[in-house]
Amino acid sequence: MTISVLGAGAFGTAMAVSLSQNGPVTLWARDAEQVRTMQASRENSRRLPGVKLPEDITVSADIEDALAAKTLLLAMPMQKMAGFLDAHSETLAGKTLVSCSKGIDLSTGQGPTALIRAKVPGARAAVLTGPSFAADIARGLPTALTLACADHSEELQAELSTPTLRLYRTTDTTGAELGGALKNVYAIAAGTVIGAGLGDSARAALMTRGFAEMLRIATELGARAETLSGLSGFGDLVLTCTSTQSRNFRLGCSIGSGEGFDPSITVEGVATAGALNKLAHRRGLEIPVAAMVLALTERTISVDEAMQALLARPLKEE
């Protein structure tokens, strides 16, 4: 049966393009006007310009038509997912729901698979995450991602793999989704370092200490350390901390340089920084880099003050 991708942002569109190599795909967008434009031009000029939509992609604004598929990729902002699941919980029961979101739900503190299980108990929950940019996937550049599902999901792995998109599976959904969510926070920090002109050595140090924080909080929450050392953790951290294609990194650059940033662009790391610091406080965990990111995004501290606060921390063993 046709796979549906729910959400026609850059990543959702790119996944639809890649998966159309295997057969028909429905790409659903909420905005009917956007859908009409995409149907006429065969391109998502708003989110993924320059990439033609293959004929095997059906672009639709009909949610009931999109929900007819057995496998649904949820390519929507993390903070929109709970409302969507609530609105369509009955129809989604029995489906395989694969989250493509990287973040933590602010109202519940849950990651995407836990949120899916809570809102739609009859659905099979999975998460697709790892080091990837939409433009690379859409253009057929080699990309490797992590597919996490509580069962071993060999058939889902085969269904979502393409000649240029290689998936590695794991049953550690907690580790996979935390790696994808937390790295966004540290990408903001890395961008701030570069935007402020502090140099690549400072960025390398920050990435290393940020990864230590990721491991600390993820293992506290039940993740396996080896998952964080893989594609969905370390791999994604490296990509987003070193490329201007990352929205989180670009936001950090704007903070570091004092320049403005387009408020219409979704930057998941901002919400995640808030959720992460609340969680760490409840658990009694030290995450100084993430704490500085939260303060910077809330504009309660300057870049110079954040840098001095981190440099003034007590010397200790690595």
Side-chain angles (χ1 to χ4, degrees):
M1 184 178 287
T2 305
I3 292 173
S4 287
V5 179
L6 306 179
F11 192 81
T13 302
M15 284 302 302
V17 170
S18 184
L19 290 170
S20 69
Q21 297 177 79
N22 296 343
V25 177
T26 297
L27 176 61
W28 174 80
R30 187 186 308 274
D31 186 336
E33 181 58 36
Q34 180 191 9
V35 167
R36 286 191 289 271
T37 301
M38 291 171 64
Q39 289 171 336
S41 65
R42 300 305 299 174
E43 180 181 342
N44 187 347
S45 57
R46 183 188 302 178
R47 300 298 185 189
L48 199 63
V51 176
K52 287 298 179 183
L53 302 180
E55 291 304 314
D56 270 341
I57 295 178
T58 299
V59 185
S60 176
D62 185 340
I63 187 59
E64 296 305 322
D65 181 54
L67 293 182
K70 182 180 178 181
T71 301
L72 307 171
L73 271 64
L74 307 181
M76 57 190 66
M78 187 63 210
Q79 305 312 318
K80 299 289 186 182
M81 188 179 294
F84 180 86
L85 295 173
D86 282 334
H88 304 286
S89 58
E90 291 187 10
T91 308
L92 293 172
K95 307 285 187 181
T96 294
L97 305 182
V98 183
S99 169
C100 300
S101 302
K102 296 178 179 180
I104 299 171
D105 180 64
L106 282 176
S107 62
T108 64
Q110 294 176 312
T113 54
L115 193 65
I116 291 169
R117 288 191 293 267
K119 300 289 187 181
V120 192
R124 181 192 191 194
V127 61
L128 186 64
T129 185
S132 58
F133 289 132
D136 293 346
I137 293 174
R139 290 176 171 84
L141 300 179
T143 303
L145 298 176
T146 296
L147 176 66
C149 189
D151 60 43
H152 285 284
S153 62
E154 289 94 340
E155 83 288 349
L156 185 60
Q157 179 186 32
E159 184 181 19
L160 300 181
S161 295
T162 75
T164 56
L165 183 61
R166 182 176 178 85
L167 304 188
Y168 290 82
R169 68 179 185 273
T170 180
T171 56
D172 183 11
T173 56
T174 299
E177 61 190 24
L178 282 175
L182 302 185
K183 58 87 188 176
N184 286 332
V185 177
Y186 301 100
I188 295 173
T192 303
V193 165
I194 296 302
L198 300 180
D200 288 329
S201 297
R203 170 166 53 182
L206 184 141
M207 289 171 62
T208 305
R209 299 316 305 160
F211 184 62
E213 291 187 12
M214 288 173 62
L215 278 173
R216 192 177 304 139
I217 198 155
T219 53
E220 170 73 16
L221 295 175
R224 299 197 294 263
E226 58 265 30
T227 305
L228 273 292
S229 297
L231 290 166
S232 60
F234 179 74
D236 214 355
L237 178 71
V238 170
L239 183 68
T240 54
C241 288
T242 59
S243 175
T244 55
Q245 289 191 67
S246 164
R247 292 168 295 181
N248 293 280
F249 181 78
R250 293 202 309 273
L251 173 64
C253 286
S254 73
I255 292 172
S257 64
E259 297 177 356
F261 189 81
D262 184 352
S264 70
I265 297 175
T266 300
V267 182
E268 291 281 16
V270 175
T272 304
L276 175 58
N277 278 276
K278 288 179 183 177
L279 197 154
H281 179 73
R282 290 198 300 269
R283 298 269 179 161
L285 298 174
E286 273 196 296
I287 50 170
V289 177
M292 290 301 104
V293 171
L294 178 62
L296 286 168
T297 56
E298 291 183 340
R299 309 292 180 178
T300 60
I301 194 172
S302 71
V303 174
D304 286 342
E305 289 169 335
M307 180 181 67
Q308 291 303 320
L310 291 174
L311 291 175
R313 288 178 55 77
L315 299 176
K316 61 180 183 178
E317 289 187 3
E318 187 174 31

